[in-house]
Amino acid sequence: MKIETMTQPELLQIQKSFSTKEEILEELTKCLSENGYVTDSKEFLRAVYEREHHSETGMENGLAIPHGKSKAVKKAGFAAMTLTKPLQKEAWASLNPENQVEIIFLLAIPETEAGTTHLKLLSELSTRLMDDSFVASLKSTSTAKQFYELLSENGEKASPKFAESKKFVLGITSCATGIAHTYMAAEALEKAADQKGIAIHVEKQGANGIEDRITTEMIKKADGIIFAVDTKIKDRERFAGVPYVQVKVAEPLKNSQKLLDRVLNSPDGMVDGERTENKEEINKKGFKSELMSAVMTGISYMIPLLVAAGLMLGIAKLIWILGLGMDPGLIGDVKYNNSDGLVGFLHLLDNFGNMLFKFIYPVFSMFAAYSIADRTGLIAGFAGGLFAGGLHYTFWGIEGGIPSGFLGALVLGISAGYISRFLNEKIKLSKNLNAMKPMFLIPGLSVLLIFILNLFIVDPIFGGLNKIISDGITSMSGSGKLGLSAIIAAATAFDLGGPVNKAAGAIAIGLSADKIFPLTPRVLAIVIPPLGLGLSTMIDRFVVGRRVYPQDLRVVGGTSFLLGFLAISEGAIPFMLRNPLITIPINIIGSIIGACTAVALGAVQWLPLPAVWGWPLVTHLPAYLIGLTIGVLVIALANIFVRYALLKREEAK
């Protein structure tokens, strides 16, 4: 690579006399500014010093590589300086405490240029500086021209071959800025492995994103992995079960051979968790696998919000009922908006929990899009989720608007991902305008397209479908007792708190208020799906002898079960998003059977209290509990057997 294209002779200060780090950084920054690389010297220096505070940029062998990533950098490049006399060792903090800095490279990187050729060239500089003979030659130069000519020499080396090696080690390197240390640590590990006759493959998680990604095949063969990182490891779960050592990114520059010995002979432990597939390889398998990966990603990010929202509601309602002895149906009443003390606090906490639930679909869609298009898909995905949750009707002042719900969240989130990825791949700009693409063009165009997609397709189709179902519920309100119970239960269980569920609630509460028909099927159908799905994740291995759910849904199952007792059906939404064609019909069937059984046996509940504290208020409670138990078991067992059959069919293929 031509690293000389990242600098020019005017940026090379040779055989200078400075005694402090501050003087050197100011001089090199001045050079960068005067030659058009930096627009604001103070802002750039602030970024450089921020990096200095994070960890040492002095290395060894007289070398220092300070660097700053800032919007004050107009174009990526570097300035360099050699000193007539090395600095005192305490003048520049270094990885090697004895290091006396005498050659300095100051790297300048624009915030918007992660992933471009500029950073690849800068990473090449970082790795070439691991060559002691190359550094010695640079130190001995007496003119900027000589220094520049040395940089112009081809520094590429053939990758070492390890066909005879008996050991294979993986590595991941990542520093805070993703520039120099990331690549130098990788080079140090590769050099040490070469000397010891060990095969190694190092993945760099730097400003370019993931480079030299470790494959699933490599993971299967690995004897261990070294995490040399100052940041969170991306996709760490890929390595579950692999022996590992984790250190700071600078450690390989000092003790790379010791790290190799340590990971092979006395690792820190095994990487925790259940191994997942490599995301890049999932994407290569095809459209269906990529869609499933997107849905799984959206669910995984949505779950913490779901749990947090349920917890807020649960705490508020439990204290309201058990601590204050107040009617739970009144906790959301606007008359408490200005109340003081515990009453006002619990009222607002309950409202807060309900507000969080409004953002379940935006978070799901946002990260489903992220799975497909990475960061460029986040904003369009979030916008799609806002539409799916019906928040546009709230802000536009449209009363009675029926949102598209979970189906809209699926379609809009996935569409946002593909739209954003397409725009990112197809829009080509000159390097001077490249910053406009991720900051302006992609979010602007993708959000506009999501708006159009929702306005003309998603809302009319899926919102219209929900409206048809809602209108159908209203028209059937005069059916017989069991028929009406089945209709209300089916609609309540259909979308777990969505527009159809709410329509069923409006009809059921109206009938109850007029003393025409009790709320029994409604309150049962709220709690049966989350309890049934939660129970299925707990008993599957006892029923069919194995787990039928992946790890993430098993975690959700416990949460869903607990939220079910609090009458928060949204805990089961992740199951519905992952497998709607399995989950929705089973939810409906189980809720109908459970509700109709309870009604037929004489259970009556007139109050809108589906949570466990409302059960003692039911007339003929044993009948109510029998219907509840039957409905929960139908959903639990049906899910287990259907999912088990699908697993067996997949395995047979």
Side-chain angles (χ1 to χ4, degrees):
M1 291 185 179
K2 298 181 179 180
I3 58 176
E4 72 274 11
T5 62
M6 300 304 298
T7 190
Q8 56 193 64
E10 292 78 11
L11 294 175
L12 308 176
Q13 304 289 306
I14 307 303
Q15 301 300 322
K16 297 294 180 180
S17 297
F18 290 103
S19 57
T20 68
K21 175 169 71 172
E22 291 73 21
E23 290 175 326
I24 294 168
L25 292 177
E26 286 182 13
E27 179 65 23
L28 291 176
T29 299
K30 180 182 176 183
C31 290
L32 289 166
S33 178
E34 290 175 348
N35 287 280
Y37 287 78
V38 171
T39 58
D40 186 332
S41 297
K42 289 183 179 179
E43 176 66 21
F44 175 66
L45 267 175
R46 185 189 62 78
V48 172
Y49 280 117
E50 275 187 11
R51 179 64 186 84
E52 291 293 306
H53 289 312
H54 184 79
S55 64
E56 303 91 341
T57 55
M59 304 296 173
E60 55 185 359
N61 195 24
L63 187 66
I65 312 179
H67 43 282
K69 186 163 61 173
S70 170
K71 58 186 177 184
V73 179
K74 185 177 179 181
K75 58 180 178 178
F78 64 87
M81 180 183 291
T82 62
L83 301 176
T84 55
K85 181 181 179 182
L87 299 179
Q88 296 295 315
K89 58 186 179 183
E90 62 272 8
W92 200 306
S94 300
L95 300 175
N96 181 351
E98 301 301 315
N99 185 47
Q100 293 183 269
V101 171
E102 57 181 310
I103 179 168
I104 304 97
F105 287 83
L106 176 59
L107 311 186
I109 302 94
E111 280 186 347
T112 56
E113 289 197 1
T116 64
T117 304
H118 297 105
L119 282 180
K120 292 179 183 177
L121 291 169
L122 290 172
S123 70
E124 173 67 12
L125 170 64
S126 300
T127 53
R128 284 188 65 185
L129 290 174
M130 293 300 296
D131 184 339
D132 292 344
S133 61
F134 176 63
V135 174
S137 298
L138 292 174
K139 290 179 185 176
S140 66
T141 57
S142 56
T143 66
K145 181 180 178 183
Q146 290 177 350
F147 196 101
Y148 188 77
E149 288 173 350
L150 279 172
L151 293 176
S152 304
E153 293 179 1
N154 188 349
E156 295 186 80
K157 315 185 284 290
S159 299
K161 305 297 181 184
F162 300 106
E164 303 300 320
S165 175
K166 295 180 180 179
K167 295 292 182 181
F168 179 49
V169 172
L170 299 173
I172 289 183
T173 59
S174 177
C175 68
T177 56
I179 307 166
H181 285 68
T182 298
Y183 300 97
M184 297 182 77
E187 179 79 2
L189 287 172
E190 289 165 355
K191 285 174 65 176
D194 190 17
Q195 292 166 5
K196 294 177 74 68
I198 296 171
I200 192 168
H201 181 93
V202 183
E203 174 178 298
K204 276 77 76 176
Q205 296 186 358
N208 289 323
I210 294 181
E211 296 180 69
D212 302 319
R213 181 182 279 271
I214 294 167
T215 67
T216 301
E217 205 57 41
M218 292 177 186
I219 296 169
K220 291 177 181 177
K221 295 177 180 178
D223 295 297
I225 182 166
I226 297 170
F227 297 123
V229 295
D230 287 342
T231 61
K232 181 181 177 182
I233 302 161
K234 296 177 183 176
D235 302 337
R236 182 189 174 103
E237 63 275 8
R238 289 176 287 165
F239 308 106
V242 178
Y244 79 96
V245 165
Q246 185 160 339
V247 295
K248 294 287 188 182
V249 70
E251 193 66 22
L253 302 179
K254 298 180 284 185
N255 299 308
S256 52
Q257 293 204 18
K258 289 181 180 178
L259 284 176
L260 289 166
D261 290 335
R262 185 171 146 197
V263 76
L264 293 173
N265 302 313
S266 56
D268 295 348
M270 301 283 189
V271 179
D272 294 333
E274 183 174 318
R275 186 173 298 179
T276 61
E277 292 185 86
N278 187 315
K279 287 183 182 177
E280 187 173 272
E281 293 176 9
I282 288 174
N283 293 344
K284 290 179 181 178
K285 290 179 182 177
F287 180 69
K288 182 179 177 182
S289 295
E290 187 173 50
L291 284 183
M292 182 54 65
S293 177
V295 173
M296 289 164 60
T297 301
I299 290 171
S300 69
Y301 281 97
M302 181 184 75
I303 288 169
L305 177 61
L306 193 68
V307 173
L311 188 60
M312 298 305 101
L313 291 175
I315 291 171
K317 286 183 167 61
L318 282 172
I319 299 176
W320 185 272
I321 295 165
L322 302 179
L324 301 180
M326 298 179 69
D327 183 350
L330 297 177
I331 191 171
D333 199 309
V334 294
K335 69 182 181 182
Y336 296 115
N337 281 352
N338 297 314
S339 296
D340 296 324
L342 187 58
V343 169
F345 174 80
L346 295 176
H347 166 73
L348 293 177
L349 184 62
D350 184 77
N351 284 345
F352 176 55
N354 284 312
M355 183 185 75
L356 289 178
F357 270 123
K358 295 288 187 184
F359 289 90
I360 288 173
Y361 289 141
V363 169
F364 168 80
S365 296
M366 181 171 153
F367 285 101
Y370 169 78
S371 175
I372 295 168
D374 209 84
R375 291 168 56 182
T376 57
L378 286 171
I379 302 305
F382 182 73
L386 292 176
F387 285 130
L391 288 169
H392 56 310
Y393 293 129
T394 301
F395 287 105
W396 296 346
I398 299 174
E399 294 185 7
I402 298 180
S404 53
F406 78 94
L407 290 173
L410 276 171
V411 172
L412 290 169
I414 290 167
S415 298
Y418 283 112
I419 288 169
S420 300
R421 190 168 77 182
F422 175 82
L423 293 173
N424 194 31
E425 291 173 351
K426 298 302 179 183
I427 294 175
K428 305 294 183 184
L429 299 174
S430 68
K431 73 177 183 181
N432 292 330
L433 298 175
N434 211 35
M436 291 178 61
K437 190 164 79 168
M439 300 299 291
F440 173 70
L441 288 176
I442 294 176
L445 289 172
S446 61
V447 166
L448 176 62
L449 291 171
I450 287 297
F451 170 78
I452 294 169
L453 178 65
N454 180 73
L455 185 65
F456 293 107
I457 298 177
V458 175
D459 258 357
I461 293 176
F462 297 112
L465 176 63
N466 289 337
K467 187 175 188 308
I468 291 169
I469 296 172
S470 300
D471 292 343
I473 296 166
T474 305
S475 66
M476 295 178 188
S477 60
S479 303
K481 183 169 72 171
L482 290 181
L484 184 56
S485 295
I487 292 166
I488 291 173
T492 299
F494 175 73
D495 56 356
L496 303 174
V500 175
N501 175 295
K502 287 180 172 58
I507 297 298
I509 290 170
L511 294 173
S512 173
D514 295 334
K515 293 297 179 181
I516 296 172
F517 194 75
L519 284 165
T520 316
R522 165 73 177 172
V523 294
L524 278 164
I526 288 173
V527 300
I528 285 174
L531 290 173
L533 284 161
L535 181 64
S536 69
T537 65
M538 302 174 190
I539 65 171
D540 54 352
R541 66 185 187 277
F542 303 112
V543 176
V544 294
R546 63 178 292 182
R547 294 286 195 181
V548 300
Y549 289 99
Q551 176 65 26
D552 60 334
L553 285 186
R554 294 205 294 272
V555 173
V556 176
T559 302
S560 176
F561 192 72
L562 291 174
L563 292 180
F565 284 105
L566 301 178
I568 300 170
S569 58
E570 284 88 347
I573 285 178
F575 295 92
M576 185 170 66
L577 287 168
R578 178 75 65 85
N579 303 103
L581 297 180
I582 298 173
T583 307
I584 295 172
I586 293 176
N587 280 351
I588 291 172
I589 293 167
S591 297
I592 290 173
I593 293 172
C596 289
T597 299
V599 170
L601 292 175
V604 177
Q605 166 69 301
W606 288 100
L607 299 173
L609 299 175
V612 64
W613 49 78
W615 297 357
L617 303 176
V618 176
T619 303
H620 295 133
L621 181 60
Y624 181 95
L625 294 177
I626 289 170
L628 175 67
T629 302
I630 290 174
V632 168
L633 287 174
V634 166
I635 289 178
L637 295 174
N639 270 283
I640 291 169
F641 288 124
V642 169
R643 292 167 191 272
Y644 178 70
L646 291 174
L647 283 175
K648 296 296 286 183
R649 190 173 72 180
E650 282 295 315
E651 290 168 357
K653 289 181 181 179

